[in-house]
Amino acid sequence: MSYIRDNFLLTNKTAEVLYNRYAKDMPIFDYHCHLPERQILENKPFGDIFEIWLAGDHYKWRLMRNYGMDEEYITGNRTNKEKFKAYCTVLGTAFGNPLYHWSQVELKDFFGCELEINEANADAIWEECNAYIRENALTPQKLIEGSNVKHVYTTNEIFDELSTFEEIAKKDYNFTVNPAFRADRIMNIDGMGYTGYIDRVAAQTHEIKDLCDLEDAIELRLQAFIKVGCRASDIALERVYAVADKADAAKVFEKVLSGEDPTAEDAEIFKGYFTYFLMKLYAKYGISTELHLGAMRNNNAKMMQKLGPDTGFDSISDTNSITLTSRLFDRLNNKDSLPKVILFNLNPKMNTEMMTIIGCFQDGTPGGKMQYGPAWWFLDNKVGMENHLRDLTATGHLAVFVGMLTDSRSLLSYPRHHYFRRILCNYLGDMMEKGEMTQDMELVGKVVQDISYNNSVNYFGLKD
């Protein structure tokens, strides 16, 4: 039997009350994920548990590599069942890793399977879950609605097809799906195939011969995103760069369009200016910016060439750009062009630095214009979430926090919201039992409900 119990991660009675009475039944707003919207629209039944559980999930791939599993069982040509059994073997001894918890909860919540995940049980789990999938004709819609999800923001590059979102809106789903605007492919002027991405934007807008043309095209695409319900944008940077002059950025852009490769200095100039331009544009249209900092991407050039990006070869960067982050925010603020910002930090050494910088640019917006994003990616584990809550409460205001997200490509990742909610309730329950805060259960419970769902809904200006 599974080791997951009703009091999982809840180490005191007050925490159990907070979770079961206030957090457990709150809806989910997943305001940052990487789910494929086409899959949600087509809503086809899944064939087996591998398709739902392992395909495309680089969190799981990374764990398997750290175990020493051959790549053939991860992204290679082994059968779905062989890959599934390999993952069960790996997970059986992954004590303390968040996937050790998440995967066990996912089996229980989505398939009613309470077998402990390990090599010995792999065949039985495969048969039991696949039988459940067949009997219940599991589809993306059923998985999302069964998780009590009300709103989903996917992450879409600016040249992505938007008609899919219009088609989803016509469905009788009990949840909404909207795109978050992402211009990273255009931002990363030193990336492979860059001019091809420019051509794709041009095909949807107009000819792009210089930086002014590009800026105009990006604004047109943002307007198109807004028409299908976009309220959020996403920027991912290893670090913030100095804001360069537009004229210098224009020279870099023209150089690349002419076929020359940009230097490292050229790339920094363009990214520094372009980040500033994008955030000004988002402020103009009332679009919130989810700014992700601290990921060093595609470290393994050999595997990048073989598998492409987003396949589990990223890591935490030690680059400190807090001063430049401050300069960027201040420059935007001085021009009344600082949008709402959720600042995500991947380096735990920078928690308090990032948290304190957002406190310098609040403006009286109810609920907090500037937000310190939840523990993200390598930090969305028990230790990372607990550290995040400690730093947030020590230097900010917990009650207006916008709460958790999945940042996932997996339709089974919604239990991560409850993983966070349990940790939140345990954190508050512990302080209550130690006499370090109010004993007013209704007041604390309302804060738990707000963090679980209400704050994010209000932050993005939605009406439920």
Side-chain angles (χ1 to χ4, degrees), residues 300-315:
N300 188 325
K302 182 179 179 180
M303 295 306 291
M304 171 67 178
Q305 188 69 30
K306 181 179 180 180
L307 299 176
D310 303 322
T311 51
F313 297 96
D314 302 335
S315 65

Side-chain angles (χ1 to χ4, degrees), residues 19-136:
Y19 177 73
N20 287 299
R21 186 182 299 174
Y22 299 100
K24 183 178 180 181
D25 296 325
M26 290 299 291
I28 288 174
F29 183 177
D30 199 20
Y31 58 85
H32 178 73
C33 74
H34 299 276
L35 292 177
E37 62 276 4
R38 172 60 58 176
Q39 183 183 37
I40 298 173
L41 173 64
E42 293 175 351
N43 204 33
K44 295 178 180 177
F46 292 98
D48 61 41
I49 188 172
F50 172 85
E51 289 183 11
I52 308 176
W53 213 34
L54 285 168
D57 192 339
H58 62 76
Y59 274 71
K60 296 183 175 74
W61 295 351
R62 187 181 183 92
L63 180 66
M64 295 174 77
R65 293 183 186 121
N66 282 333
Y67 179 85
M69 187 62 66
D70 189 276
E71 193 69 26
E72 273 293 295
Y73 290 90
I74 304 171
T75 60
N77 294 319
R78 294 289 180 168
T79 66
N80 287 2
K81 184 175 182 180
E82 287 174 321
K83 291 177 180 179
F84 172 82
K85 291 180 67 174
Y87 180 64
C88 289
T89 297
V90 170
L91 203 68
T93 51
F95 315 130
N97 189 286
L99 286 166
Y100 184 75
H101 290 155
W102 296 344
S103 298
Q104 198 71 60
V105 173
E106 289 163 9
L107 279 196
K108 181 177 180 180
D109 286 1
F110 289 106
F111 308 104
C113 179
E114 299 212 35
L115 291 172
E116 194 163 304
I117 304 169
N118 54 42
E119 183 177 13
N121 288 335
D123 283 312
I125 294 171
W126 173 264
E127 296 299 332
E128 181 176 339
C129 291
N130 285 345
Y132 186 93
I133 291 169
R134 290 191 299 271
E135 291 167 10
N136 294 276

